[in-house]
Amino acid sequence: MTLALRLAAKGQGTTSPNPMVGAVVVREGRIIGRGFHLRPGTLHAEILALRQAGKRAQGATLYVTLEPCCHLKKRTPPCVPEILRSRVRRVVIAMQDPNPSVKGKGAAALRRAGLSVTVGVARSEAEKLNKSYCHWMKTGRPYVTLKTGMTLDGKMATATGESRWITGASSRREVHQFRCCVDAVLIGVETVLADDPSLTARTGPRLEKLASRQPLRIVVDSRLRTPFKAQVLTQQGKAKTIIATTAAAPAAQRSVLQEKGVEILTLPTRQNRVSLPALLKQLGRRGITSLLVEGGSEVNAAMLKAKLVDRIRLYMAPLLLGGQNAKSVIGGESPARLAGAIEVRHVVTRFVGNDVVVEGDL
């Protein structure tokens, strides 16, 4: 199963909205087939592994990281009939598929056909691998990671707005790698106006080459103040952008942006701003399973207040800015009492270059 999990991880960044799945066929202690799911519409891991094994699969054991599918609501044939035709004797499954169309039905079908089925081997590892998929299936919203660079005293920009670069080159390279693995990246219009980021995923030591896979870029902009020449509006052929706005946005601005190929998503308001819960629901309906928030302090505060953040990733540079007027990582109003603080669980720390990375669940 460890090998199957390693194979599954090869699909990171390409399988969404499908889960990452790996499979291994073993007979008499020898591996005779292996496979992993690469992208939607391609063969599933079980099918690839069984085809590699061929006739030798008869009487063998199939190890698979996710419960095999048995439904027809997809582009590829269900896996259960193929498994039965292979005449394997036993199937070992790491985790049940949370998809309501599967959820126990695949394992039950295999058992009814007389196969020995074991579920739960390395379950926690498999669930961790597909945490975004599982969260999306259970909530209908993408799994949200809030990421930011900051000083040791929690500042993300100076009083004049300067923020490039607080963190080191190693941290920036890691962030670009992370962007390649998520479905979408979100910022607020204030970040566009202040920093004009491209929000693309780039590769190479100097981050000059555009990566082959780009996340969807999302700008939260209630009144369509995004400049026409902003970098988030360029390279629409390789990196798409959605601007989330409200009915209060000027019609003329909307028309010009749409002519440039930018999709405008009009959403309900919450306190005269784009409703973030409504936005995430819309993204979930589009098959966005993972979202990276790289916004400014006010977007960070709004996402946290709405309880839409699932994980934080803070890159802390060995710097101190000080001052009440320097930009803090989280804006808005502070709670009056410590009881109002947000608890971070399962905290882990590590070094990236000279920076300290702090991660945890909310």
Side-chain angles (χ1 to χ4, degrees):
M1 190 61 78
T2 299
L3 174 58
L5 287 164
R6 286 204 297 265
L7 288 168
K10 291 185 176 183
Q12 188 170 41
T14 63
T15 62
S16 183
N18 292 354
M20 291 175 274
V21 184
V24 176
V25 184
V26 177
R27 181 174 179 177
E28 297 177 354
R30 297 184 61 185
I31 294 172
I32 57 174
R34 62 183 76 190
F36 68 94
H37 186 48
L38 181 60
R39 62 175 61 91
T42 62
L43 292 175
H44 287 192
E46 304 96 309
I47 307 303
L48 291 170
L50 290 169
R51 288 187 179 181
Q52 189 179 95
K55 293 182 179 179
R56 295 176 297 167
Q58 183 175 346
T61 298
L62 169 66
Y63 292 85
V64 61
T65 58
L66 186 74
E67 180 182 10
C69 59
C70 55
H71 63 97
L72 301 172
K73 300 176 183 178
K74 54 192 181 65
R75 285 177 280 182
T76 53
C79 293
V80 167
E82 289 284 342
I83 294 171
L84 297 179
R85 279 193 285 271
S86 74
R87 301 181 71 181
V88 296
R89 177 180 57 84
R90 183 181 178 220
V91 179
V92 181
I93 301 166
M95 64 172 284
Q96 187 182 75
D97 192 336
N99 185 340
S101 297
V102 186
K103 204 169 186 181
K105 298 172 186 175
L110 294 171
R111 289 191 178 104
R112 283 196 302 270
L115 274 68
S116 171
V117 179
T118 303
V119 180
V121 176
R123 178 188 287 118
S124 61
E125 291 88 342
E127 289 176 345
K128 182 178 180 180
L129 184 67
N130 278 310
K131 61 185 178 183
S132 295
Y133 170 77
C134 293
H135 182 273
W136 175 61
M137 274 292 165
K138 292 173 183 176
T139 68
R141 302 192 310 266
Y143 182 90
V144 176
T145 301
L146 189 154
K147 164 263 156 188
T148 190
M150 58 190 288
T151 61
L152 288 178
D153 54 342
K155 307 298 184 181
M156 63 188 308
T158 66
T160 61
E162 183 184 354
S163 61
R164 293 184 177 180
W165 296 104
I166 286 178
T167 55
S170 296
S171 291
R172 295 197 293 276
R173 283 193 294 269
E174 183 176 281
V175 169
H176 280 269
Q177 292 170 357
F178 191 26
R179 283 181 187 168
C180 290
C181 298
V182 297
D183 295 337
V185 180
L186 179 147
I187 60 171
V189 67
E190 295 295 342
T191 299
V192 175
L193 296 172
D195 297 337
D196 190 23
S198 69
L199 291 190
T200 52
R202 298 186 296 279
T203 60
R206 295 187 179 181
L207 303 175
E208 294 173 342
K209 184 180 177 183
L210 209 60
S212 58
R213 181 185 185 272
Q214 293 296 319
L216 176 67
R217 301 178 293 185
I218 301 167
V219 179
V220 181
D221 183 359
S222 301
R223 297 187 179 273
L224 292 183
R225 293 185 293 142
T226 301
F228 296 142
K229 294 183 179 181
Q231 288 196 82
V232 288
L233 302 186
T234 65
Q235 301 173 321
Q236 289 295 307
K238 294 184 178 180
K240 296 290 184 182
T241 296
I242 289 179
I243 297 184
T245 191
T246 68
Q253 190 89 339
R254 185 190 303 266
S255 297
V256 174
L257 289 168
Q258 288 174 330
E259 287 173 5
K260 291 179 175 290
V262 179
E263 182 179 354
I264 307 298
L265 185 62
T266 304
L267 293 163
T269 61
R270 177 175 285 192
Q271 296 179 338
N272 297 320
R273 296 183 177 183
V274 170
S275 169
L276 294 175
L279 171 58
L280 263 63
K281 278 293 183 183
Q282 282 286 340
L283 295 178
R285 293 190 189 106
R286 290 166 176 251
I288 302 297
T289 67
S290 56
L291 176 66
L292 177 61
V293 175
E294 295 195 55
S297 61
E298 295 306 316
V299 167
N300 291 345
M303 290 291 294
L304 289 165
K305 185 177 180 180
K307 298 183 179 180
L308 296 173
V309 178
D310 302 293
R311 188 168 179 83
I312 61 165
R313 181 183 286 198
L314 308 178
Y315 290 84
M316 302 172 63
L319 301 171
L320 297 171
L321 269 179
Q324 295 292 335
N325 53 352
K327 281 281 186 180
S328 296
V329 168
I330 303 171
E333 294 185 1
S334 176
R337 303 182 64 83
L338 282 174
I342 299 170
E343 182 183 2
V344 182
R345 299 171 289 107
H346 310 135
V347 176
V348 294
T349 60
R350 56 190 171 86
F351 279 98
V352 175
N354 292 325
D355 301 331
V356 179
V357 183
V358 179
E359 296 185 74
D361 299 322
L362 299 187

